[in-house]
Each structure stands twice: as C-alpha cells, then as structure tokens.
Amino acid sequence: MAGLAEVAPGVYVHRHPVLDVNATLIVGEDRALLVDTLSGPAQGAALAEEVRRVTPAPLALVNTHHHFDHCFGNAAFGEAGGAIWAHRDAVAQLRDHGPRWQHTWYEQWLPTEPELAEDLGRAVIAVPNRVVHRAATLDVGGRRVELRHLGRGHTEGDLVVLVADAGVVLAGDLVEQGAPPDFGDSYPLEWPETVAALLNLISTDAVVVPGHGAPVDRGFVEHQHGQLSELDWLIRYGHRDRATEQAVAARSPFGPDASLVAVRRGFAELTGGV
Ligand SMILES: [Zn+2]
C-alpha cells in the first residue's frame, strides 16, 4: 500500500499500485469525506485503516462512478453507517446491475490479476444512499465540498469533486494520467464537452487528482481535452466516410488498442444505437 499522501492542506491521496487508482480523503474540523473506496473488501479494509490513522472523524463517502475500483470497497466503511454519495445513474447501475457487473469484472480480471478478481468478487455491494442529479454541496467539518455532474463522458454518471479552499479538483476517470482513458462504458462524442465544463472549474494553480495516476495540473487536462476532441472528430468523419472502426482507431491519439471500443461506441451512437 502506498499510503495517504497530503497533496494540499487536509487533502490526502492514496494511490493504489493495482490499477494505479486513486482514493482521496478530505479532512475537516470534525468530519471527513472519502472519495472512492478501491476495489473490494481487502483493499477497502486496508484503506480504512490508513484513514483512521489520519482522522477519527465520522466519515461520509463519495463514489465518482459505478466502476468496481471506485466503489467496491464501500462496505469496508460500513461501521461508519454514513452517507454514500453518487450520481443518479451510478446509483442505478449499482442497484439494478451490480451483481451482473461484478460477475463480468471478475471474469475479465481473473486471468491477469487474480488477487484483484478475488477481492472484487467477494465484495458486498454497498449501493450509495445519497443521490446527486446535477450538484450537491457538502459541509465537511467546516469545509465546503461541491459534487458536480457535468455530463456524460467516461460513464453516464461521473461526478467530480471540488475542494475550493484547497484548490483541489477530483476528476474521477474523466481524466486519466499514465494510461489512456478507459472507453468501455464511455460516451466519446460527449466526453470532450464534459471535460470542457470541467476546465471551467479548474484554476491555473489547481491540483487535479485524476481517477488513475499522479496528480496533474490544468495544462494536462487541457491537453487531454484536445486529444478527446481529436478522437471525437475522427469518429464523426470516419462514420461519414464509412471508414472501418479499425482504420479510425489507428489514427487516435490514444492508440488503436485503447480507442477501438471508443470508435465502436461512437459509431453506434451516430447510427442511433446508443
Ligand atoms: Zn472507471
């Protein structure tokens, strides 16, 4: 475990070596907020121990979206019995399709990351109990923390978290450092607009914590926005010109392997299939 590192006053990031995924702790006067909870009961329990070394304060949770590596550790914080915030569509995915997702992800990861697969496979899915539609403002022990849904992108239900007093923005998987963005459940034709809305909330000196990888700055997000826009237009022109999915993906700034599913989903949307 990498430990919780303070990236701004009272804001700590745990960067987990498996999947390079981030969980972020925001500590207020007498309350704390944990954004994302890792992949399962084992990872969640280890994270809970780390959190308790930093603060004994009552804890609320946020899940930036429904993917297992951001929410399957929720139940490890059950003793807190507190609020778990998420976007409406992330809540619906976990409530209505959680076990099906869990099975799919278990099968997907078993060959390459068996320990991870076992952990996520054992998770009891704690469905978020506080629903965000567009925005919510939380008082975390005297600190104002904003939850925002800016549109569809990495999934249909991504939340970003703003800690204005610390100049920190938690972008979830709308921004990814160290690896290409993940397009498996994405809306590649809407993602650039969502990141443009996010850029409006990022000051020049802000610390941006991506869903995966090292903290970045506004310039990094601008660059990734440019790449997402480029892919968006490649998909639109490729569809118009009846190019193959492979030919379009081959020209993507994120490389052909990461981009094929993006092109597939973009084509489906342009054909009316999404
Ligand atoms: Zn994700």
Side-chain angles (χ1 to χ4, degrees):
M1 298 291 270
L4 281 161
E6 194 167 18
V7 297
V11 180
Y12 302 80
V13 176
H14 172 101
R15 189 173 168 190
H16 197 281
V18 179
L19 304 184
D20 203 11
V21 63
N22 291 316
T24 304
L25 176 68
I26 301 153
V27 181
E29 198 73 38
D30 54 358
R31 305 214 161 258
L33 184 72
L34 180 67
V35 180
D36 289 345
T37 60
L38 305 179
S39 295
Q43 287 192 8
L47 178 61
E49 242 175 69
E50 280 185 22
V51 168
R52 286 308 168 212
R53 278 201 285 272
V54 174
T55 174
L59 199 62
L61 306 178
V62 175
N63 296 145
T64 56
H65 59 295
H66 73 277
H67 288 157
F68 71 91
D69 47 332
H70 301 266
C71 61
F72 274 20
N74 284 356
F77 300 86
E79 86 283 353
I84 309 176
W85 296 84
H87 182 256
R88 174 192 61 206
D89 294 328
V91 176
Q93 287 290 347
L94 289 168
R95 186 191 57 217
D96 302 338
H97 309 293
R100 181 170 61 76
W101 280 119
Q102 187 170 24
H103 182 73
T104 302
W105 289 325
Y106 174 79
E107 298 283 323
Q108 180 187 339
W109 287 100
L110 193 58
T112 53
E113 292 277 359
E115 200 179 322
L116 175 71
E118 294 299 339
D119 198 24
L120 80 87
R122 273 196 302 269
V124 173
I125 299 171
V127 178
N129 52 20
R130 300 287 191 281
V131 179
V132 181
H133 291 255
R134 300 295 302 181
T137 303
L138 311 186
D139 176 356
V140 181
R143 303 183 79 167
R144 183 187 166 93
V145 176
E146 308 256 7
L147 314 181
R148 297 277 185 89
H149 173 69
L150 302 171
R152 301 198 293 188
H154 171 68
T155 67
E156 61 196 342
D158 303 300
L159 277 188
V160 302
V161 181
L162 313 171
V163 193
D165 69 33
V168 172
V169 176
L170 313 180
D173 285 2
L174 285 171
V175 176
E176 187 149 350
Q177 188 276 337
D182 178 63
F183 292 100
D185 299 312
S186 73
Y187 295 83
L189 309 181
E190 297 168 44
W191 196 332
E193 204 176 321
T194 302
V195 175
L198 175 62
L199 278 167
N200 283 334
L201 303 173
I202 300 175
S203 62
T204 47
D205 56 353
V207 174
V208 180
V209 180
H212 300 257
V216 297
D217 61 10
R218 191 180 199 282
F220 180 95
V221 182
E222 285 172 2
H223 180 69
Q224 196 149 88
H225 174 253
Q227 293 177 308
L228 287 163
S229 299
E230 188 183 339
L231 177 58
D232 175 10
W233 284 108
L234 284 170
I235 292 169
R236 290 175 193 274
Y237 286 132
H239 187 262
R240 182 199 62 187
D241 298 341
R242 297 169 195 261
T244 65
E245 292 168 349
Q246 286 75 10
V248 175
R251 296 175 59 201
S252 165
F254 299 112
D257 294 344
S259 306
L260 189 58
V261 65
V263 178
R264 202 162 278 161
R265 287 182 66 86
F267 275 16
E269 189 171 348
L270 291 168
T271 321
V274 169

